[in-house]
Amino acid sequence: MGLKETLWTMAASLVTGLVLALFAVIQSPYNALTSLIGVGVVIMYFRKFGRTRSRVTFVIFSILYYLLSVFMIAVYQFVPAQT
């Protein structure tokens, strides 16, 4: 994996993870838009990089970014603001 492919993998998986987290959090008409954005990013990435190793890395990092994003959103929503 070269530097360019690594940066593309990290950026695309970050966007996909964040969009999946938003899909889980926001309400009905808007989560359809987030799912379309996620599908678009995945299709773009899979067309650009066809190797199995790149795709597996993308999926693993997308899941990790999703879990991290959901945790951060939950902490932001449920921890009271200290003033």
Side-chain angles (χ1 to χ4, degrees), residues 7-64:
L7 292 176
W8 270 105
T9 302
M10 299 311 288
S13 62
L14 176 66
V15 170
T16 305
L18 288 173
V19 168
L20 285 173
L22 288 175
F23 177 81
V25 174
I26 62 177
Q27 295 298 322
S28 180
Y30 302 109
N31 65 358
L33 180 64
T34 61
S35 67
L36 289 176
I37 293 170
V39 167
V41 171
V42 170
I43 290 173
M44 183 263 325
Y45 182 81
F46 276 26
R47 282 187 183 170
K48 190 169 184 82
F49 302 106
R51 293 190 338 211
T52 305
R53 179 179 175 184
S54 299
R55 291 179 177 187
V56 169
T57 305
F58 170 77
V59 170
I60 289 171
F61 277 106
S62 294
I63 292 169
L64 291 175

Side-chain angles (χ1 to χ4, degrees), residues 17-26 65-79:
L18 288 173
V19 168
L20 285 173
L22 288 175
F23 177 81
V25 174
I26 62 177
Y65 283 131
Y66 164 73
L67 293 173
L68 182 66
S69 299
V70 166
F71 176 73
M72 291 173 63
I73 290 170
V75 167
Y76 177 76
Q77 286 180 345
F78 294 112
V79 170

